[in-house]
Amino acid sequence: MPRPTGRVLTLLELLQSGGTRTVAELADRLGVEGRTVRRYVDQLIDLDVPVESVRGRYGGYRLAPGYRLPPLMLSDDEALAVLLGLVVGRRAGLTTTERTANETASAKIRRVLPKHIARRLDTLLEALAFTDQPGELDHPDAGLLLTIADAVRHRRPVSIRYTDRDGRRSERTLHAYGIVAHAGRWYVTGTDPEIGEGRTFRLDRITDARTLPGSFEKPVGPDPAQRVLSGFATAEYRHEVTLRIHGTVEQIRAHLPATVASLEEHEPTADKDPAAEHWLRVQLRAQQLDWLPRILASLDRPFVIERPDELRDLVIALADRLTSYARQA
């Protein structure tokens, strides 16, 4: 028979699963009488676990939000899921805390894992690989992130202090309608009401954020993630490139993703199926052009270079080199 302390912890686990539990249900699950359930609840309250009593026909007990995190009861699978989330989030750069907080949280969970689960986790981490190298990224302040998220949810204008990539500081007002995680960074996207244009800001470059009075309507159009990707594709760079490529959207996107280039129909067509081959206009901006000839060659699709002429010369030069290599004995 389980000891009383074990039953108290089981009661906490049942309450943490959510909802209101009747006294009869809890008594049945714990194998005790109703008055014993009430005594166990009193013990949890003495430990500062915020248990609420709910009156009425469907009354019972439930956990209420407390001023601090109550003791967590995690199953083996739940503990493994939390640890993997911490590891992968830190590896991808998508955490809102410094590395120390992430590592101490992981250590606390690992310390109470059963040995067989800890061994399974170590085996998994040894086999886990990532497609890119970790970077030393700045992490946005958690309070700042929550302030902006609240402004997004309630459609409230937000004032931010921002430092751009050139070190220039400014204070801006933003109608924020989305937070996006991309390539190891956090971004907030919205509309600058002073100029009436869409803007995207890196959260780690925002030093302060506060909500302002008023509200706004979210504009009709692409979702926040698509707006961020489109912003990358149209960012200011040295060269503006326009191509026409004959192929499917999938074929082109495999080599020129939305973060790099934008696509649009070159000629009106009744067939809007993205899997159908037709001419598409591709526009992108690049600081250097030397990587594009190899991309166009790997596409292996008919293409026309509209601009710039420098790219056409680079493609011809690559073709000449490949031809000379192929003719060598």
Side-chain angles (χ1 to χ4, degrees), residues 30-288:
L30 296 172
V32 298
E33 296 180 353
R35 64 174 178 270
T36 305
V37 171
R38 296 184 182 91
R39 188 170 70 250
Y40 291 164
V41 168
D42 290 338
Q43 292 181 34
L44 289 177
I45 293 174
D46 289 340
L47 294 171
D48 288 336
V49 177
V51 182
E52 283 185 342
S53 175
V54 181
R55 299 182 180 276
R57 180 181 178 184
Y58 300 102
Y61 294 104
R62 67 186 179 195
L63 280 186
Y67 68 91
R68 67 178 186 180
L69 185 69
L72 289 176
M73 299 289 292
L74 298 177
S75 68
D76 292 348
D77 288 342
E78 290 170 340
L80 187 61
V82 171
L83 273 172
L84 282 177
L86 289 169
V87 170
V88 174
R90 183 179 67 222
R91 180 57 177 71
L94 295 179
T95 62
T96 60
T97 61
E98 295 296 333
R99 182 180 298 273
T100 301
N102 190 295
E103 291 177 347
T104 55
S106 299
K108 288 177 181 179
I109 297 176
R110 288 184 69 109
R111 194 159 51 240
V112 297
L113 277 182
K115 290 184 178 179
H116 71 285
I117 295 296
R119 286 195 297 268
R120 289 174 60 193
L121 176 66
D122 290 337
T123 300
L124 173 59
L125 294 180
E126 289 176 4
L128 189 61
F130 292 85
T131 58
D132 60 349
Q133 295 299 316
E136 292 298 326
L137 302 180
D138 293 327
H139 304 287
D141 176 77
L144 183 147
L145 182 61
L146 293 174
T147 296
I148 295 178
D150 185 72
V152 169
R153 179 179 182 182
H154 296 99
R155 301 284 183 262
R156 297 276 303 278
V158 61
S159 174
I160 61 174
R161 293 179 182 174
Y162 190 73
T163 304
D164 66 17
R165 60 184 176 184
D166 296 322
R168 294 188 295 266
R169 298 180 181 181
S170 61
E171 186 163 345
R172 306 158 183 254
T173 298
L174 184 68
H175 289 174
Y177 44 77
I179 296 173
V180 178
H182 171 69
R185 297 194 186 278
W186 296 88
Y187 298 87
V188 56
T189 185
T191 300
D192 185 331
E194 293 184 4
I195 60 177
E197 295 182 359
R199 299 300 305 271
T200 295
F201 300 99
R202 271 177 45 179
L203 277 174
D204 59 278
R205 289 179 176 166
I206 298 176
T207 56
D208 182 64
R210 56 186 177 88
T211 53
L212 302 174
S215 62
F216 63 90
E217 292 295 327
K218 181 180 177 180
V220 178
D223 60 34
Q226 187 58 49
R227 289 177 184 272
V228 170
L229 295 179
S230 299
F232 289 137
T234 58
E236 292 185 4
Y237 289 100
R238 180 181 175 187
H239 300 283
E240 294 187 359
V241 178
T242 304
L243 310 165
R244 296 198 309 273
I245 300 177
H246 191 270
T248 67
V249 171
E250 183 179 13
Q251 288 169 337
I252 297 172
R253 282 294 183 220
H255 299 271
L256 294 168
T259 53
V260 174
S262 61
L263 302 183
E264 63 179 25
E265 299 287 341
H266 172 59
E267 297 174 349
T269 174
D271 188 356
K272 296 296 184 182
D273 183 0
E277 292 189 5
H278 52 278
W279 285 98
L280 292 165
R281 173 169 275 112
V282 180
Q283 294 181 312
L284 60 101
R285 302 177 186 224
Q287 196 65 25
Q288 303 291 335

